């Protein structure tokens, strides 16, 4: 299968060390024996820290986004270091480059592309661009809940949600640089229009990636309706 894997920066850099990069590169190398992989890496805390600094310096939102994009590309380079010869050792800056580099037969790793969305959207656009079979979004929560699980004990994990329902839930959420909520609306629109099989799951457990690829019930499946 051709698979796009989005890994949140908050997953890779939670502890500010190399552990998650190593763990993910082991898994990705194994998966590449059977699948063609495209990985999109997020910015995490370093992106938010740098965005706050540049915003304080008077930058507008698009310029803040631009700083965020640079950080996602640095994170992509860290994953490339860990993957070594299994990956194409250059970060594509756009979708055409990603496609071009993929002719190498190696794992492709990229970060952001342009302002006004997050790497969730990059992963969904990329999936559409390369005609992927699956999009797996590894994030810092287990998936979509009925209520905020940090506030309510009776919050339940939703195993399936339609893209339309997810769009309704996300409408009115903050879209400033560095503050994308649970999932990005641009990403959901892509999922809706291109019938993209999508799973959102907890990336703190890297094995969830394998489970999601194997079709096991893990996290929230987004149905393109
Ligand atoms: P992320 O995609 O990591 O955003 O990009 P996020 O969801 O806030 O963070 P994590 O990784 O899931 O914790 C970081 C920031 O970079 C800018 C946005 O400002 C985003 O919030 N960005 C990223 C863009 O403007 N365009 C892109 O294509 C990617």
């Amino acid at each position: 299968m051709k698979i796009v894997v989005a890994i949140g920066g908050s997953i890779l850099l939670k502890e500010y060390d190399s552990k998650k990069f190593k763990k993910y590169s082991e898994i990705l190398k194994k998966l590449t024996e059977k699948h063609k992989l495209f990985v999109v890496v997020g910015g995490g805390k370093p992106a938010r820290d740098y965005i706050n600094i540049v915003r304080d310096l008077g930058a507008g939102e698009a310029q803040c986004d631009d700083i965020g994009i640079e950080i996602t590309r640095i994170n992509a380079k860290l994953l490339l270091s860990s993957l070594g010869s299994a990956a194409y050792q250059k970060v594509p800056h756009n979708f055409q480059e990603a496609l071009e580099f993929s002719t190498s037969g190696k794992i492709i790793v990229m970060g952001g592309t342009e302002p006004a969305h997050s790497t969730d959207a990059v992963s969904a656009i990329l999936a559409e661009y390369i005609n992927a079979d699956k999009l797996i979004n590894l994030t810092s929560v287990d998936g979509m809940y009925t209520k905020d699980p940090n506030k309510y004990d009776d919050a339940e994990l939703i195993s399936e949600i339609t893209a339309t329902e997810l769009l309704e839930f996300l409408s009115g959420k903050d879209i400033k640089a560095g503050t994308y909520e649970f999932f990005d609306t641009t990403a959901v629109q892509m999922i809706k229009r291109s019938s993209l099989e999508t799973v959102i799951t907890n990336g703190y457990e890297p094995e969830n990636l394998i489970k999601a690829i194997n079709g096991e019930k893990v996290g929230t499946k987004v149905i393109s309706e």
Side-chain angles (χ1 to χ4, degrees):
M1 277 194 287
K2 218 190 275 178
I3 300 165
V4 174
V5 180
I7 314 179
S10 44
I11 301 294
L12 290 169
L13 283 150
K14 187 167 182 253
E15 270 98 32
Y16 267 76
D17 63 17
S18 59
K19 283 198 197 93
K20 279 281 186 297
F21 288 95
K22 284 182 183 159
K23 184 71 196 161
Y24 269 108
S25 62
E26 266 170 39
I27 292 179
L28 292 166
K29 278 184 200 170
K30 192 100 195 84
L31 286 168
T32 203
E33 290 166 10
K34 280 197 185 159
H35 305 286
K36 176 89 199 96
L37 301 175
F38 291 76
V39 184
V40 179
V41 169
K45 188 171 180 295
R48 279 189 292 279
D49 289 347
Y50 270 69
I51 285 169
N52 286 337
I53 293 172
V54 78
R55 192 180 279 127
D56 275 352
L57 295 172
E61 282 308 302
Q63 229 181 83
C64 291
D65 281 336
D66 197 45
I67 293 290
I69 293 167
E70 292 296 338
I71 302 292
T72 63
R73 289 175 177 162
I74 290 174
N75 292 345
K77 281 190 175 183
L78 295 183
L79 187 59
L80 283 181
S81 296
S82 185
L83 284 165
S85 61
Y88 188 81
Q89 286 295 322
K90 200 169 171 204
V91 177
H93 284 196
N94 57 54
F95 305 105
Q96 174 149 18
E97 277 182 3
L99 188 61
E100 204 178 304
F101 298 171
S102 75
T103 57
S104 65
K106 297 190 173 201
I107 302 172
I108 301 304
V109 185
M110 68 188 291
T113 51
E114 63 280 301
H117 53 65
S118 76
T119 46
D120 289 342
V122 174
S123 65
I125 300 169
L126 178 64
E128 191 175 68
Y129 199 93
I130 61 153
N131 199 14
D133 300 296
K134 255 188 192 185
L135 168 62
I136 295 168
N137 189 285
L138 297 156
T139 182
S140 51
V141 292
D142 292 333
M144 174 90 191
Y145 278 88
T146 47
K147 303 174 189 173
D148 184 346
N150 297 317
K151 287 190 198 151
Y152 303 95
D153 288 342
D154 60 343
E156 284 173 33
L157 185 69
I158 301 171
S159 61
E160 277 188 13
I161 189 168
T162 66
T164 310
E165 284 166 344
L166 189 50
L167 277 175
E168 267 165 35
F169 169 79
L170 293 171
S171 68
K173 300 274 182 204
D174 210 344
I175 53 158
K176 273 160 74 180
T179 59
Y180 285 95
E181 290 271 348
F182 175 64
F183 209 57
D184 179 329
T185 51
T186 310
V188 189
Q189 268 149 359
M190 291 295 132
I191 293 166
K192 197 172 168 179
R193 81 172 190 185
S194 57
S195 308
L196 186 59
E197 194 184 324
T198 304
V199 177
I200 302 170
T201 185
N202 196 327
Y204 290 134
E205 303 292 337
E207 273 75 22
N208 281 345
L209 172 57
I210 302 168
K211 291 183 184 165
I213 289 178
N214 292 339
E216 285 176 46
K217 258 197 171 179
V218 63
T220 301
K221 194 168 168 183
V222 186
I223 303 163
S224 51
E225 281 171 17

